[in-house]
Amino acid sequence: MIETTVAQRLIRRMAETYGKITDVYTLDALFAKAPVIHAALDAGAHVVVRMKEERRRIMKEANACFANRLPDSTWEERDGKGNTVYVQAWDEEGLAQWPQVRVPMRIVKIIRHTNKTVIEANKEVFVTDVVERWIATTCSSEKADTQTIAQIAAARWDIENIGFRNLKTFNALDHCFVHDSVAIKAMIGFQVLAFNLKRLFFFHHLPASSRNRDVPLRYLIDEMREATRWLSLHLYRWVWEWGLSTA
């Protein structure tokens, strides 16, 4: 697939250009491929990969290991909204049932129980969401314990959800405005730069009281967009007529 080919090329090019720039690559299930893992290992890094394919031999072997034993570790944490999360984890390393990968892999199974209050029929109802995640990694337990691996995998999801999803949904990253290769790179660079500057403003400039109201950023941006109508400078043309108002 083109995505995995590009991932390998990117990892190799980064290593050739900058040397070792990271200790761990966090990858989605799409990149759970031996060539991608080998590219990371050759660059001196480990991988933490989200797994989905239960038919893989290594997944079946790990599931058999976990089936008849209690969790290897448990802990409590809080999610981004302050809800209590009870985590159970099973961890097994030295699994060699992925013959395409040249090193034994470690499989971590995570079950997250999130306690939260939701509104149903105009009433507050206490519910528990249960989410199961599977992770494969080349990191040994000596280098990263179970909780650290779980946190790395969770951080990858935050990056994808907050970064790439927002860039595609609100910043038109999925739209090709130009068709020259150099112009495409420049355009994407501007879009990512604008996105980062915007988030730096909201999360590092505005007071904490403004950020803790759980108000979506697009609502705050709409308020700022509306306020430009009354500025002495004619910035409203940039914001309204030229479409610079995405969230």
Side-chain angles (χ1 to χ4, degrees), residues 14-15 39 43 47 55 73 77 86 105 135 154 163-164 170 201 210 218 224 236 243:
M14 295 288 281
V47 297
R55 293 174 295 176
S73 57
E77 59 188 39
Y86 176 67
M105 297 292 288
I135 305 161
F164 296 115
F170 301 114
F201 173 77
S210 300
R218 62 180 179 274
M224 295 173 61
Y236 69 90

Side-chain angles (χ1 to χ4, degrees), residues 74-88 110-116 126-131 133 147 150 154:
T74 61
W75 65 88
E76 284 190 5
E77 59 188 39
R78 293 191 179 275
D79 64 11
K81 295 185 177 180
N83 298 313
T84 300
V85 183
Y86 176 67
V87 185
Q88 298 172 299
I110 304 291
I111 298 182
R112 296 171 56 87
H113 306 259
T114 303
N115 301 319
K116 61 183 180 179
F126 182 80
V127 298
T128 300
D129 281 348
V130 180
V131 177
R133 295 174 181 168
Q147 189 168 354

Side-chain angles (χ1 to χ4, degrees), residues 79-211:
D79 64 11
K81 295 185 177 180
N83 298 313
T84 300
V85 183
Y86 176 67
V87 185
Q88 298 172 299
W90 291 258
D91 194 335
E92 188 73 25
E93 57 184 326
L95 297 174
Q97 287 75 24
W98 196 344
Q100 295 84 358
V101 179
R102 65 176 184 240
V103 297
M105 297 292 288
R106 175 184 174 193
I107 298 292
V108 179
K109 175 185 174 182
I110 304 291
I111 298 182
R112 296 171 56 87
H113 306 259
T114 303
N115 301 319
K116 61 183 180 179
T117 302
V118 299
I119 304 298
E120 293 183 0
N122 296 323
K123 294 182 179 179
E124 290 189 352
V125 180
F126 182 80
V127 298
T128 300
D129 281 348
V130 180
V131 177
E132 181 177 308
R133 295 174 181 168
W134 289 76
I135 305 161
T137 181
T138 57
C139 290
S140 68
S141 57
E142 294 181 354
K143 293 184 177 180
D145 61 18
T146 306
Q147 189 168 354
T148 300
I149 296 297
Q151 291 172 343
I152 291 172
R156 188 212 65 81
W157 173 249
D158 287 341
I159 292 169
E160 179 164 323
N161 187 50
I162 295 173
F164 296 115
R165 178 180 175 276
N166 283 357
L167 279 166
K168 290 189 294 184
T169 304
F170 301 114
N171 293 266
L173 191 67
D174 57 347
H175 180 76
C176 187
F177 294 95
V178 290
H179 298 282
D180 177 80
S181 60
V182 176
I184 290 173
K185 292 179 182 178
M187 194 68 191
I188 292 176
F190 281 126
Q191 288 172 291
V192 172
L193 178 62
F195 176 81
N196 287 335
L197 289 173
K198 179 173 57 186
R199 296 192 70 84
L200 282 170
F201 173 77
F202 282 117
F203 292 102
H204 292 275
H205 178 72
L206 293 182
S209 58
S210 300
R211 302 193 304 269

